[in-house]
Amino acid sequence: MSLEFIGFIGPQEASESLAARGPQVDREFIKAFAQAQEYGGFDKALLAVNTSVPDSLVLASYAAAHTERLGLLVAHRPGFQAPTFAARQFATLDQLSNGRAAINVITGGDSGDLQRDGELLTDKDERYRRTDEYLDVFKKTWTSTEPFDHQGKYYQITDNLTQVKPVQKPHLPIFFSGASDAAVEVAAKHADVYMMWGEPVENIRERIAQVRKAAAKYGRDKHIRFSLSLRPILGATEEEAWARSQRILESATRLVNQQGGWRRFKEGAKSNVGAERLVDFSRQRPVHDKRLWTEIAALTGAAGNSTSLVGTPDQVAEAALDYYNVGVTTFLFRGFDPLRDAVEYGQELLPRIRKLVNEQSAAPKSLAG
């Protein structure tokens, strides 16, 4: 199975445990961050979406201009733009980046954040039904060579023919996030890559089986791939790595408790199914599978990718191999000290995971009996 690594590009250096540094749109940091991950061997980098931060698509255009190979995985919320309009934007980015764009479809998330952008659909399942239609229109816009009409529940389009098409054929890769049953059904139909947050290995095995079963209805069970998002915490020794995790927790606790701390950590926000799952795991115990650390998820209500693999580079690589062996082929790694960690992942972690996967693939299969 092919192996892919995704990093992260934010507009300034910040994390749950690191107070924001520099201007809100820090051009030098964005450039350095993107180039460090390209040099370190990441295949793509995610640009996230949130109402309080700069626009992900515009940031991706800037990052594309300062890199040559790094893919840009742009988070996008359906429903706030006409799908034909957004499809043109993504096709244009794919042209400008010479085929490096991908879309991360985000339907759910913090309902309060959705409402801050004027979301009118309060029923989550209905939002996913709208996303299904949205992606149908996206694909028509990207692939149609003749004018098309679309008369659906949420979108009515007449005589659309978009001249700009993606470099990638038939269309940009579609990464899909969402852990609810409604999300799985839409992912089964549309996703090239289904994205998950870091849960224990056996739970990830079960979720992959669930999505494959749903995708089989569309003949896509062999097509869809799976991504896992984690926050690796590395140390020269295991003791050093766990000590660092505690320093990160202490710093994050101080930031959350400060007046005016990260808005999305405030109590009362309605979370999504994926976040609820991570919080449930954190309540069971702080560490699963020897090194899956959940205390940042507990602290923040799992506001985003918030579980970690903690250990030496060799130990974390071995833990990643366990996920690979249940079907994960894409890993999204983001650090709590973003630039420093991105460099360290490129030097110490990614090569080890690739080596383990290659050695396992090359090993002769044992003969039964």
Side-chain angles (χ1 to χ4, degrees), residues 31 33 81 94 135 143 169 197 211 244 260 311 338 341 355 365:
K31 178 180 176 181
F33 202 17
Q81 295 170 281
D94 204 46
L135 290 175
T143 61
K169 303 301 180 187
W197 286 335
V211 176
R244 186 180 173 214
D341 286 340
K355 183 172 183 284
K365 305 298 182 183

Side-chain angles (χ1 to χ4, degrees), residues 54-122:
D55 181 76
S56 56
L57 194 69
V58 178
L59 291 176
S61 296
Y62 183 80
H66 291 90
T67 54
E68 296 179 358
R69 301 178 307 279
L70 186 69
L72 292 314
L73 176 58
V74 183
H76 178 73
R77 283 177 173 160
F80 297 97
Q81 295 170 281
T84 50
F85 178 79
R88 288 196 299 274
Q89 290 181 307
F90 275 93
T92 303
L93 177 62
D94 204 46
Q95 287 287 340
L96 289 173
S97 64
N98 195 27
R100 291 188 280 144
I103 182 171
N104 176 20
V105 180
I106 307 288
T107 302
D110 174 358
S111 62
D113 199 54
L114 294 172
Q115 291 163 4
R116 283 189 282 274
D117 260 345
E119 175 61 85
L120 298 176
L121 298 183
T122 57

Side-chain angles (χ1 to χ4, degrees), residues 13 41 128 179 256 306 337 356 358:
E13 190 159 26
Y128 278 105
V256 169
S306 52
D337 193 350
L356 288 176
N358 289 337

Side-chain angles (χ1 to χ4, degrees), residues 156-167:
Q156 293 79 45
I157 295 158
T158 302
D159 196 35
N160 181 279
L161 178 59
T162 296
Q163 296 294 334
V164 59
K165 304 296 185 185
V167 173

Side-chain angles (χ1 to χ4, degrees), residues 323-334:
Y323 288 110
Y324 178 85
N325 286 334
V326 300
V328 173
T329 58
T330 296
F331 291 91
L332 192 158
F333 291 149
R334 177 164 69 98

Side-chain angles (χ1 to χ4, degrees), residues 10-42:
Q12 63 182 162
E13 190 159 26
S15 76
E16 296 90 333
S17 62
L18 181 66
R21 300 170 177 171
Q24 190 176 49
V25 179
D26 190 335
R27 290 176 295 175
E28 291 305 311
F29 171 73
I30 297 167
K31 178 180 176 181
F33 202 17
Q35 291 177 346
Q37 290 173 93
E38 180 170 74
Y39 179 76
F42 283 89

Side-chain angles (χ1 to χ4, degrees), residues 218-279:
Y218 303 96
R220 304 185 71 249
D221 51 314
K222 303 299 183 184
H223 172 83
I224 195 166
R225 296 180 288 121
F226 296 90
S227 170
L228 191 69
S229 299
L230 292 159
R231 310 290 292 277
I233 299 173
L234 306 180
T237 65
E238 184 172 9
E239 293 75 15
E240 181 180 313
W242 284 111
R244 186 180 173 214
S245 74
Q246 291 307 304
R247 293 194 298 271
I248 288 169
L249 180 61
E250 291 167 4
S251 296
T253 302
R254 286 195 298 270
L255 284 179
V256 169
N257 290 334
Q258 286 176 358
Q259 184 71 22
W262 284 32
R263 186 176 185 180
R264 69 173 182 267
F265 294 170
K266 290 184 178 178
E267 294 182 1
K270 295 180 181 178
S271 62
N272 54 71
V273 172
E276 291 170 357
R277 289 175 64 96
L278 293 192
V279 170

